């Protein structure tokens, strides 16, 4: 994990490490992961930043969401094609966004399934993410 300090914590499951860096300072070749909705929008918060830095990844994610029903995409993980030295990971944790988010329990279940999906598709990967679902 390079030159950035790793902060071990008993509150994280084994294999998860807290590193205090800007997400976009992760080593090139990393997978940058964010929690997303299944409407295919990245219009606020860190998603807006992802959209400006990774427009092709946004288009791939948007197509995935708009061509598949939410009952198919919720709780899944999508890794987009490499762009600007990174792969972008989308954890589909809620059908909607803003004031129309799914219930807290649904988001947590979808997050668990999306992380399991990510792990099944990409065994033993290292990915970097912001603190998603931090309110829950």
């Amino acid at each position: 994990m390079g030159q950035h300090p790793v902060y071990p914590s008993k509150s994280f499951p084994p294999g998860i490490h807290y590193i205090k860096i800007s997400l976009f300072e992760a080593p090139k070749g990393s997978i940058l992961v964010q929690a997303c909705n299944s409407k295919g929008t990245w219009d606020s918060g860190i998603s807006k930043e992802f959209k400006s830095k990774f427009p092709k990844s946004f288009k791939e994610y948007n197509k995935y969401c708009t061509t598949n029903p939410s009952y198919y995409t919720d709780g899944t993980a999508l890794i987009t094609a490499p762009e600007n030295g990174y792969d972008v990971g989308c954890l589909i944790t809620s059908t909607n966004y803003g004031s129309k988010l799914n219930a807290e329990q649904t988001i947590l279940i979808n997050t668990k399934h999306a992380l399991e999906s990510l792990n099944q598709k990409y065994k033993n990967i290292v990915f970097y993410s912001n603190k998603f679902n931090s309110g829950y």
Side-chain angles (χ1 to χ4, degrees), residues 14-27:
I16 295 178
H17 305 279
Y18 176 75
I19 303 171
K20 193 170 184 174
I21 62 170
S22 166
L23 179 59
F24 302 109
E25 291 177 9

Side-chain angles (χ1 to χ4, degrees), residues 1 4 34 57 61 108 127:
M1 282 176 238
H4 301 288
Q34 65 167 330
S57 295
Y61 151 77
L108 292 174
F127 67 86

Side-chain angles (χ1 to χ4, degrees), residues 2 15 20-21 25 39 48 56 67 69 76 87 92 96 102 106 108 122 125:
K20 193 170 184 174
I21 62 170
E25 291 177 9
K39 295 292 183 198
K48 195 172 187 177
K56 291 177 186 172
T67 58
T76 63
D87 292 342
I92 314 293
N96 235 311
N102 288 100
T106 302
L108 292 174
Y122 306 94
I125 62 162

Side-chain angles (χ1 to χ4, degrees), residues 97-134:
Y97 53 92
S99 64
K100 297 179 181 179
L101 280 173
N102 288 100
E104 175 181 325
Q105 191 63 29
T106 302
I107 291 172
L108 292 174
I109 290 167
N110 285 343
T111 302
K112 179 181 184 293
H113 289 288
L115 287 167
E116 288 170 346
S117 172
L118 183 69
N119 189 49
Q120 286 175 344
K121 291 177 186 176
Y122 306 94
K123 295 280 186 206
N124 300 316
I125 62 162
V126 173
F127 67 86
Y128 292 78
S129 72
N130 59 323
K131 197 173 184 182
F132 51 82
N133 298 339
S134 59

